[in-house]
Amino acid sequence: MRIAVFSTKPYDVKYLAQASGDTHELAFFDARLSLDTVPLAAGAQVICPFVNDDLSEPVIAALADGGVKLIALRSAGFNHVDLAAADKAGIVVARVPAYSPHAVAEHSVAMMLTLNRKTHRAYNGVREGNFALDGLLGFDLHAKTVGIVGTGQIGAVVARILNGFGCCLLAHDPVQNPACEALGVRYVGLDELFGLSDVITLQCPLTPQTHHLIDAVAIAKMKRGVMLINTSRGAVVDTGAMIGGLKSGVIGSVGLDVYEEEADLFFQDLSNSFISDDLFARLLTFPNVLITGHQGFFTHEALTAIAEMTIANVTGFQRDGEPLYRVPGASDR
Ligand code: NAI
């Protein structure tokens, strides 16, 4: 099948071409998918978008008009797809549900360790000949309470790693994970998690229920000096409220791999330009805020699995009319 790949980076070409071999015809486009770039999909039965591509109703309708039958997401999250519009247009949506929970979980923990021991600042200081320790004081993670919001595949790996550090683990999730319970993770209500946690890490999907889960009301319930990590989706956090929390000192440090308005920033080199997003620019002024540009998934193992599952979704769809990992339509929910 012909697959139009949007938001292509050099690593996408390498891994997808390797996984596909001669099986499918891949057409790579640097452009993000939008109403303006839909014509690039001409002649393709499948499109392969990434997390910041536009999959709203008008774009999906235009894709269907052009003969697209399958949206093969190369991501786990599908919050950016209008599933009702896909149903209506008769387009099947597939995703890669679990490519490497370790990649994202390890990135969450890397952010905790960096923020705590300030290795990002120490690295720069030492290169400038500054070996003073002032400003670098951290704490033992051992025996600290970490609250994990969402204990699916990624949250469960975070729990396992932090269990190794000797942390006391709390979790909130409508579905309790037996693997986490076996580790001694205690499931609590959100308010209790907010009130007791020294570190809060968000590992849940973005849904209507989790949109702005961390807002001013939630922050007011948190322990003073709490560390907040978000490697899930930007809009789980109300950015303005988080900045308020940082300014008041309730939030002691923040690690973000995702940002509410990341679509116009991340995955691009803007170093010769300027940042027009004032909230994001404000975040960059805090020494206790660490931001990475949505790189949680970015490991060799994860890219290999993403490419293989994406191609397997297309092959399954071509063979049986059914991808390997279909996202249930809006009407099935
Ligand atoms: P998963 O589906 O295995 O687990 C998600 C968990 O969140 C489930 O246990 C679910 O019950 C829980 N959940 C749902 N609503 C909740 C709520 N209101 N409060 C608390 N928990 C809730 O998904 P997985 O693989 O663990 O991924 C989680 C999210 O991580 C993805 O949806 C995606 O947004 C994000 N992600 C980020 C990446 C990155 O590169 N930074 C890469 C991959 C995923």
Side-chain angles (χ1 to χ4, degrees):
M1 293 184 108
R2 182 174 166 86
I3 310 173
V5 183
F6 285 88
S7 299
T8 303
K9 301 291 178 199
Y11 45 84
D12 294 313
V13 177
K14 178 180 163 196
Y15 284 90
L16 282 170
Q18 221 162 47
S20 175
D22 297 331
T23 320
H24 301 288
E25 184 194 341
L26 294 160
F28 292 104
F29 302 107
D30 297 350
R32 265 204 344 237
L33 176 62
S34 69
L35 210 45
D36 292 337
T37 60
V38 165
L40 294 173
Q45 301 83 45
V46 183
I47 60 147
C48 179
F50 198 46
V51 291
N52 291 323
D53 285 305
D54 180 354
L55 289 153
S56 58
E57 202 270 334
V59 173
I60 288 176
L63 288 168
D65 285 347
V68 169
K69 302 280 179 234
L70 174 69
I71 296 172
L73 301 170
R74 53 183 195 281
S75 61
F78 52 89
N79 51 280
H80 55 312
V81 186
D82 186 331
L83 294 175
D87 274 2
K88 195 168 141 211
I91 294 186
V92 172
V93 182
R95 67 173 183 136
V96 281
Y99 39 89
S100 169
H102 305 281
V104 187
E106 289 171 12
H107 194 68
S108 294
V109 177
M111 294 195 114
M112 286 175 207
L113 294 173
T114 303
L115 282 167
N116 176 25
R117 305 306 297 269
K118 301 164 181 72
T119 41
H120 56 312
R121 304 190 68 204
Y123 173 81
N124 287 325
V126 166
R127 287 172 75 92
E128 302 267 313
N130 178 0
F131 303 100
L133 298 183
D134 310 82
L136 302 182
L137 189 67
F139 55 82
D140 287 3
L141 264 171
H142 175 81
K144 290 296 178 299
T145 300
V146 181
I148 307 172
V149 180
T151 51
Q153 321 226 32
I154 296 170
V157 177
V158 170
R160 217 160 56 223
I161 297 170
L162 294 178
N163 185 53
F165 284 175
C167 294
C168 164
L169 297 174
L170 302 178
H172 178 77
D173 193 313
V175 184
Q176 308 199 346
N177 185 334
C180 291
E181 289 178 311
L183 286 176
V185 173
R186 190 160 71 84
Y187 281 90
V188 294
L190 262 187
D191 284 0
E192 192 175 348
L193 184 146
F194 291 152
L196 294 178
S197 299
D198 301 295
V199 177
I200 296 173
T201 185
L202 305 176
Q203 315 294 170
C204 56
L206 174 62
T207 64
Q209 291 74 38
T210 62
H211 182 264
H212 284 190
L213 186 82
I214 306 299
D215 59 7
V217 177
I219 292 167
K221 293 173 185 160
M222 292 177 188
K223 223 170 164 175
R224 195 169 175 79
V226 65
M227 178 190 290
L228 178 66
I229 305 290
N230 187 11
T231 61
S232 63
R233 283 292 180 267
V236 176
V237 176
D238 176 342
T239 309
M242 181 173 64
I243 290 173
L246 280 160
K247 284 164 78 176
S248 70
V250 172
I251 300 181
S253 55
V254 166
L256 301 178
D257 187 47
V258 286
Y259 172 64
E260 229 176 329
E261 304 298 335
E262 70 179 47
D264 291 330
L265 294 167
F266 288 3
F267 307 118
Q268 307 167 67
D269 180 1
L270 301 178
S271 56
N272 290 314
S273 176
F274 64 92
I275 289 169
S276 54
D277 181 327
D278 290 347
L279 283 183
F280 190 81
R282 181 68 179 99
L283 277 175
L284 292 177
T285 67
F286 292 95
N288 49 347
V289 172
L290 174 68
I291 303 178
T292 52
H294 207 138
Q295 69 175 74
F297 70 99
F298 200 57
T299 66
H300 168 70
E301 289 76 7
L303 289 188
T304 305
I306 288 171
E308 286 175 355
M309 274 191 223
T310 301
I311 296 300
N313 271 333
V314 178
T315 305
F317 183 74
Q318 182 178 30
R319 200 184 43 222
D320 315 318
E322 186 62 28
L324 226 52
Y325 303 103
R326 184 189 187 121
V327 178
S331 52
D332 305 321
R333 285 166 183 273

